Amino acid sequence: ADLPKAEELVPHLRRLDETRWYSNFGQMATEFEARIQSLLAATDPAPHHGIIHVTTMVTGHHALEIGLRMLGAGAAGKVLLPAVTFPSCPLAVQAAGAEGILADVDPVTWRLSPETAYAVAKKVKLSAVMPVAIYGVPVPVEAWDAFTADTGVPVIIDAAAAFGTQAVPARGLVVHSLHATKPLGVGEGGLLIGRRLEHIH
């Protein structure tokens, strides 16, 4: 019922035709990113951690892969993931050139815990950790920020289905999916979000 009617889309299609710019940094894409950034800034529970930066990607999977590369987690690194996840997570790790290590999740939250990550980091040199906001339940960021501060291991949160509820960490990245099945379903696409501009652009 909340999908736009065809006639509502026509002005946007005309704008595309006028600029002849259909993707990658076009006017409508940058406007969309700015609107998402404003929305996240307005609801940011920790604005003292810095400005939230947003960039769009072709899919959530690609946002995970690019995010891992931006964090330096590719090139034969090892990335810790929860065993309860979606195939895009380990596939993005593989596409980034890293090796995925699956860990058990907490039996109550069904999430990868920082305690498990600390234990693994004592035994394995990790290049990143990828907690998952399973079924759209947000990942608490404070403990993961502390993990990165203590270990130097970056964190990228797969919050594919947690748009509107997942906070942005001070140190890591967040990825949302824009697939039609997600809370902000525009058909397809992904958002790569973080507070450090060099991780986003």
Side-chain angles (χ1 to χ4, degrees):
D2 61 350
L3 293 173
K5 298 190 182 315
E7 56 269 20
E8 294 176 287
L9 298 175
V10 171
H12 302 290
L13 296 173
R14 287 196 176 121
R15 281 185 68 197
L16 288 173
D17 284 343
E18 287 167 9
T19 62
R20 308 300 293 169
W21 203 328
Y22 296 93
S23 67
N24 296 33
F25 312 110
Q27 182 181 25
M28 292 180 72
T30 54
E31 284 178 15
F32 177 71
E33 290 172 352
R35 290 178 84 175
I36 295 295
Q37 186 174 11
S38 294
L39 177 63
L40 294 175
T43 59
D44 186 3
H48 56 282
H49 285 314
I51 296 170
I52 294 173
H53 302 281
V54 177
T55 193
T56 49
M57 299 277 172
V58 67
T59 67
H61 167 89
H62 289 92
L64 289 170
E65 177 189 345
I66 298 302
L68 285 167
R69 291 178 186 273
M70 296 298 289
L71 293 173
K78 296 184 186 303
V79 178
L80 185 66
L81 306 121
V84 178
T85 187
F86 186 73
S88 276
C89 295
L91 290 173
V93 170
Q94 185 179 34
E99 176 187 349
I101 299 173
L102 296 176
D104 286 335
V105 296
D106 181 280
V108 176
T109 67
W110 286 27
R111 291 190 301 249
L112 177 66
S113 70
E115 293 75 22
T116 297
Y118 276 114
V120 173
K122 288 179 182 174
K123 300 176 183 178
V124 178
K125 182 173 172 44
L126 295 174
S127 58
V129 177
M130 188 187 290
V132 175
I134 194 73
Y135 304 122
V137 178
V139 171
V141 296
E142 296 82 6
W144 286 110
D145 275 336
F147 171 82
T148 298
D150 292 343
T151 64
V153 177
V155 172
I156 180 169
I157 299 171
D158 174 16
F163 184 84
T165 60
Q166 179 61 58
V168 180
R171 299 171 178 272
L173 295 172
V174 172
V175 169
H176 294 297
S177 172
L178 301 176
H179 189 270
T181 60
K182 299 300 186 283
L184 183 58
V186 301
E188 189 53 273
L191 299 173
L192 182 60
I193 300 167
R195 297 185 190 270
R196 295 178 60 182
L197 190 58
E198 68 269 24
H199 288 160
I200 303 301
H201 293 287

